[in-house]
Amino acid sequence: MLPHTPAPPFDAAEDAGWADLLSPVRRRLIASAGVAVGGLAAASTASAAPNTTEPGRPGFRPIVPPPAQGHSPWGQDTAAEATPRPGSVRPGESPLPSRPRAYTDIKSYHAHIYFDEDSYQKAALLRRWAAERFPVELGNWNLEPRGPHVTPSFYFGFSNDLLPVLVPWLQLNSLGLTILIHPNTGDGRADHLYYALWVNRAQPVNAYNWPAPKPGQTEALEEVFPNVVPTVPLET
């Protein structure tokens, strides 16, 4: 190991001399820029000083746009409105159920894949992958909001036995898309709003005006009829 040699003491004058020799033009430019910036700062301070309008903040004058002319379309008394209660915020909330619902009420599942103009290619790839690997009921493209879905989407339906395979597969292959997975129980409103699973982030579902079934009744159940035959072995 070589013996430690202490660094020579710093000599500002010598350092400046070397800098002048290496780049005198650059140093002159830096010096002249410093003078110019200092002059601008002084001029700015001088011009701002007479405009002080806020106590304790010299030189600061807030810029406030003129007030808008006219009236809000919502009126002037919205802050005084009472908080309304929706007709129902949970299925069967009144009265509370006396026992849990049987999981066998779920007859099948739907997966709704949402996309937009920036992510449609991902949706097309995911759609092809799913149709190649699973016996699902593949729906068509919805390029505009349809039913309770507020963005473009496509869906596929699948039977209960595929749930423990398709959900983890979608989690790993969502490509960052938002996916709604809901059961089909004969109550479409609750299926979409309260019994749903989400892959990635959730988004609004416009099903609050969907009529809930009357007590003891169910809607016509959406059955799932697979319309694709897998052609690619599932990766394991």
Side-chain angles (χ1 to χ4, degrees):
M1 178 181 296
L2 296 176
H4 175 69
T5 303
F10 176 73
D11 188 326
E14 182 180 2
D15 183 69
W18 276 105
D20 283 331
L21 288 173
L22 292 173
S23 185
V25 175
R26 179 172 174 271
R27 286 181 59 83
R28 285 197 298 272
L29 286 174
I30 293 174
S32 61
V35 171
V37 170
L40 288 174
S44 175
T45 303
S47 62
N51 296 327
T52 300
T53 58
E54 186 172 316
R57 301 184 68 180
F60 176 78
R61 183 175 62 178
I63 299 174
V64 180
Q69 302 298 314
H71 299 279
S72 167
W74 311 111
Q76 304 301 122
D77 301 317
T78 51
E81 289 180 349
T83 302
R85 178 183 178 181
S88 172
V89 294
R90 292 185 181 88
E93 74 167 310
S94 179
L96 291 174
S98 59
R99 60 178 181 175
R101 189 172 178 180
Y103 77 91
T104 51
D105 285 351
I106 296 175
K107 305 306 179 184
S108 61
Y109 286 89
H110 284 176
H112 296 271
I113 292 83
Y114 300 112
F115 61 92
D116 57 25
E117 62 272 22
D118 295 321
S119 60
Y120 73 95
Q121 291 176 313
K122 292 181 178 180
L125 180 59
L126 178 55
R127 179 183 172 93
R128 177 169 61 82
W129 280 353
E132 289 175 342
R133 288 163 175 79
F134 298 101
V136 299
E137 180 183 63
L138 184 64
N140 51 20
W141 290 102
N142 299 317
L143 299 183
E144 295 181 354
R146 179 176 177 180
H149 308 289
V150 300
T151 58
S153 65
F154 75 87
Y155 99 98
F156 58 79
F158 57 95
S159 52
N160 293 8
D161 59 307
L162 288 179
L163 183 71
V165 178
L166 253 172
V167 169
W169 187 87
L170 286 171
Q171 288 175 310
L172 297 179
N173 294 288
S174 68
L175 304 178
L177 300 174
T178 291
I179 301 175
L180 164 65
I181 302 170
H182 71 77
N184 294 312
T185 67
D187 183 348
R189 183 178 188 274
D191 291 343
H192 285 79
L193 292 179
Y194 309 116
Y195 305 150
L197 301 173
W198 290 92
V199 176
N200 293 321
R201 67 210 64 78
Q203 72 175 39
V205 177
N206 187 21
Y208 287 93
N209 290 328
W210 194 325
K214 295 180 180 180
Q217 296 181 351
T218 58
E219 301 171 352
L221 188 66
E222 283 194 73
E223 297 185 66
V224 167
F225 301 100
N227 59 0
V228 296
V229 177
T231 57
V232 176
L234 186 64
E235 294 80 2
T236 58

